[in-house]
């Protein structure tokens, strides 16, 4: 079964329509990257998928069930996780407190403790820093904490908005190493990214948005084989 299906979705803000019939699909265990110029509708797309915006038209299904009119908290309980570009950590709270908040929807303290232990096994850095104030972490560590917190409820699909933004090349590599490991462990990923080279190296498929519409969909190799796409969206010329 297709994990996530977005079909001919139109969405925006007030009367301003940003997405004009966007479609994409994600299969289990897949990494899909979304790229495109500024203003293409990338962030609007993921906000619509996660319920922060209600689509004007079209359909969004997760594991075959419609979620287009659901609130974000209900979508999260269905098995989707979302990490915004800002991350949304609580800087004055400790690392452990931030992680525990990620498990607020779990039904018992025992379930939260089990989720915390599972998350610390994936991110051992935070075991030693559990009492450290989250705001004192480096930018890369804060981004990793935001990801770890979202994993507390064991989503089956993780949506990330520009996880490499404002990070050094070394930290970007570390973040993506973590994402690759999560994918290999069975987590599907939908990643909006401006770092085109990075996402081309890890994604199974790429979706290019332009002016709120699908401009391309296919593998990284297929994208590079298109002179038009290479020129317009990668800034490359075929030799």
């Amino acid at each position: 079964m297709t994990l996530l299906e977005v079909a001919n979705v139109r969405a925006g803000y007030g009367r301003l329509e940003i997405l004009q019939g966007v479609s994409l699909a994600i299969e289990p265990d897949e990494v899909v990257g979304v790229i495109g110029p500024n203003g293409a509708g990338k962030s609007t797309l993921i906000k619509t998928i996660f319920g922060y915006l209600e689509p004007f038209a079209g359909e969004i299904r997760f594991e075959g069930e419609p979620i287009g009119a659901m609130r974000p908290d209900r979508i999260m309980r269905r098995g989707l996780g979302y990490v915004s570009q800002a991350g949304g950590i609580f800087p004055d709270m400790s690392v452990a407190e931030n992680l525990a908040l990620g498990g607020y929807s779990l039904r018992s303290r025992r379930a939260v403790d089990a989720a915390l232990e599972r998350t610390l096994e994936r991110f051992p850095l935070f075991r030693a820093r559990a009492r450290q104030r989250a705001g004192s972490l480096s930018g890369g560590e804060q981004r990793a904490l935001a990801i770890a917190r979202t994993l507390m409820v064991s989503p089956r699909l993780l949506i990330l908005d520009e996880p490499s933004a404002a990070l050094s090349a070394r930290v970007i590599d570390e973040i993506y190493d973590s994402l690759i490991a999560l994918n290999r462990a069975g987590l599907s990923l939908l990643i909006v990214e401006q770092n085109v080279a990075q996402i081309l190296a890890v994604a199974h498929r790429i979706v290019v948005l332009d002016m709120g519409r699908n401009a391309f969909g296919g593998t990284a190799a297929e994208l590079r084989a298109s002179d038009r796409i290479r020129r317009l969206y990668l800034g490359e010329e075929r030799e």
Side-chain angles (χ1 to χ4, degrees):
M1 178 186 295
T2 297
L3 191 63
L4 176 72
E5 184 177 9
V6 177
N8 300 311
V9 163
R10 295 178 175 271
Y13 307 88
R15 296 183 179 181
L16 179 62
E17 185 174 86
I18 304 296
L19 303 181
Q20 302 177 37
V22 170
S23 298
L24 63 80
I26 301 176
E27 303 299 328
D29 303 327
E30 194 173 36
V31 180
V32 174
V34 180
I35 64 174
N38 289 333
K42 304 184 297 296
S43 292
T44 301
L45 171 63
I46 57 176
K47 289 176 181 176
T48 304
I49 292 171
F50 205 69
Y52 291 114
L53 296 172
E54 186 171 344
F56 301 155
E59 193 167 43
I60 304 172
R61 289 182 174 271
F62 182 70
E63 296 181 329
E65 297 296 324
I67 61 170
M70 285 187 183
R71 300 189 313 267
D73 62 309
R74 293 186 62 199
I75 291 173
M76 180 269 293
R77 288 183 175 89
R78 287 292 183 102
L80 278 79
Y82 172 53
V83 181
S84 69
Q85 183 178 340
I89 67 163
F90 296 92
D92 292 328
M93 299 178 70
S94 70
V95 167
E97 289 168 336
N98 269 272
L99 291 174
L101 280 174
Y104 80 92
S105 65
L106 300 176
R107 295 186 176 182
S108 69
R109 181 68 202 184
R110 187 174 183 178
V112 172
D113 289 344
L116 181 60
E117 180 60 29
R118 184 176 61 247
T119 301
L120 291 175
E121 288 178 1
R122 288 172 167 169
F123 295 86
L125 167 70
F126 297 134
R127 190 182 297 277
R129 301 194 181 187
R131 296 184 179 181
Q132 183 173 337
R133 191 172 65 87
S136 69
L137 298 173
S138 70
E141 289 166 348
Q142 291 185 27
R143 194 70 48 84
L145 178 59
I147 294 170
R149 186 182 61 190
T150 306
L151 295 177
M152 283 285 291
V153 291
S154 299
R156 294 182 293 285
L157 171 63
L158 182 61
I159 303 172
L160 302 106
D161 191 359
E162 298 193 22
S164 70
L167 300 179
S168 69
R170 177 185 62 81
V171 175
I172 291 171
D173 287 342
E174 292 173 355
I175 291 292
Y176 268 90
D177 284 346
S178 297
L179 294 176
I180 291 168
L182 290 169
N183 176 247
R184 288 175 176 168
L187 180 63
S188 298
L189 303 172
L190 174 62
I191 305 175
V192 167
E193 187 58 273
Q194 290 282 17
N195 189 329
V196 175
Q198 189 73 52
I199 195 63
L200 287 179
V202 303
H204 299 109
R205 288 188 298 111
I206 298 291
V207 174
V208 180
L209 296 185
D210 194 359
M211 298 182 69
R213 297 183 175 91
N214 290 82
F216 172 86
T219 66
E222 290 169 338
L223 186 152
R224 290 191 179 280
S226 168
D227 288 340
R228 176 177 173 274
I229 296 296
R230 283 162 53 93
R231 184 175 64 254
L232 292 178
Y233 302 108
L234 303 185
E236 299 178 358
E237 297 289 345
R238 186 177 292 278
E239 297 178 357

